[in-house]
């Protein structure tokens, strides 16, 4: 099972927002996916309660991440998106441990960028692939990124922290759609946001495929032990 864990010790970075939009996109693209809400604040649960068809299905992480993942796997889901809380680090760490890849949303601001380090350290300690996603960024001018985005990339480059090449811009459609139980991929007249989410999903799916391939190869080299792992 492919597990995408959204994590960041910074509240308001965009964990819940990205979880909802990515999961809705993946579902629409035909992936069998489930959303796990591991944040007692329940942002994703609230969004999900407004969805007319209840898709993709939601599971609570309240009784433990591993338990939620195991039952999702038994039910045949291929993808899990886990939303975590900034202030419940023990649960977030469990979600990081279970991750195929850790996605760390960050706004392009000095304090926000620095707050990423702790999450990166946890992912590194656990030997988990991770990437920062710049969220709520100023818009591009044509193909040119805003100075704040370019600066953020330079900051992470210096620290050797991988950053997704795209951006999720600051756009009201990311907020308004969620408030209506929808996502930016569900027929809204925004020319930018659906493309951004599609690009992020495509990058994510490619990364996960590469991770799985590398793991498969390592598994073969070690007698197949890594093959077919839960996460
Ligand atoms: N790309 C974006 N454009 C506009 N508003 C956003 C964007 N990402 C997040 N927000 C808003 O910022 C706030 C915090 O986002 P949220 O996803 O709840 O962060 P977290 O889950 O990391 O605490 C919310 O009000 C959300 O609607
Ligand atoms: Mg949240």
């Amino acid at each position: 099972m492919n597990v995408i864990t959204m994590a960041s010790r910074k509240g308001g970075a965009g964990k819940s927002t990205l979880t909802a939009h990515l999961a809705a996109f993946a579902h629409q693209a035909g992936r069998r996916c489930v959303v796990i809400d591991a944040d007692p604040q329940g942002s994703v649960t609230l969004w999900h309660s407004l969805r007319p068809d209840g898709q993709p299905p939601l599971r609570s992480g309240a009784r433990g991440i591993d338990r939620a993942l195991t039952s999702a796997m038994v039910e045949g889901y291929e993808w899990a998106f886990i939303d975590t809380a900034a202030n419940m680090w023990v649960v977030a760490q469990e979600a990081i441990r279970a991750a195929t890849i850790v996605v760390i949303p960050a706004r392009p601001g000095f304090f926000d960028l620095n707050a990423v380090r702790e999450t990166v350290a946890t992912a590194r300690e656990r030997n988990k692939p991770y990437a920062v996603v710049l969220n709520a960024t100023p818009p591009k001018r044509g193909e040119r990124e805003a100075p704040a985005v370019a600066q953020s990339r330079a900051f992470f480059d210096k620290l050797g922290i991988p950053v997704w090449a795209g951006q999720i811009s600051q756009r009201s459609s990311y907020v308004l759609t969620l408030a209506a139980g929808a996502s930016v991929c569900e027929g809204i007249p925004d020319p930018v946001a659906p493309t951004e989410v599609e690009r992020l999903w495509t990058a994510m799916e490619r990364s996960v495929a590469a991770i799985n391939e590398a793991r498969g190869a390592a598994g073969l080299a070690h007698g197949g032990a890594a093959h077919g792992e839960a996460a």
Side-chain angles (χ1 to χ4, degrees), residues 10-17 107 135-136 168-171 174-175:
K10 187 91 180 159
K15 294 179 286 297
S16 304
T17 302
R107 289 173 180 257
N135 178 41
I168 301 290
S169 309
Q170 169 86 33
R171 295 184 76 81
Y174 284 114
V175 185

Side-chain angles (χ1 to χ4, degrees), residues 16 39 43 83:
S16 304
D39 180 354
S43 305
D83 185 27

Side-chain angles (χ1 to χ4, degrees), residues 1-9 14-16 18-20 22 34-39 65-66 69 79-86 88-105 119-120 122-123 126 128-133 200-201 204 208 211 215 230-231:
M1 186 162 183
N2 303 310
V3 180
I4 297 184
T5 295
M6 299 284 166
S8 153
R9 295 223 69 171
K15 294 179 286 297
S16 304
L18 291 184
T19 302
L22 272 177
V34 65
V35 184
I36 297 174
D37 192 350
D39 180 354
I65 302 293
D66 290 344
L69 283 174
W79 292 86
F81 296 84
I82 311 180
D83 185 27
T84 66
M88 297 221 6
W89 200 234
V90 176
V91 181
Q93 288 194 34
E94 195 188 343
I96 289 172
R97 202 175 343 108
T100 308
I101 186 165
V102 181
V103 174
I104 310 172
T119 316
V120 166
T122 305
R126 304 201 177 284
K128 288 292 170 182
Y130 62 90
V132 169
V133 170
L200 177 56
W201 168 249
M204 211 116 283
V208 166
I211 291 163
R215 271 190 185 171

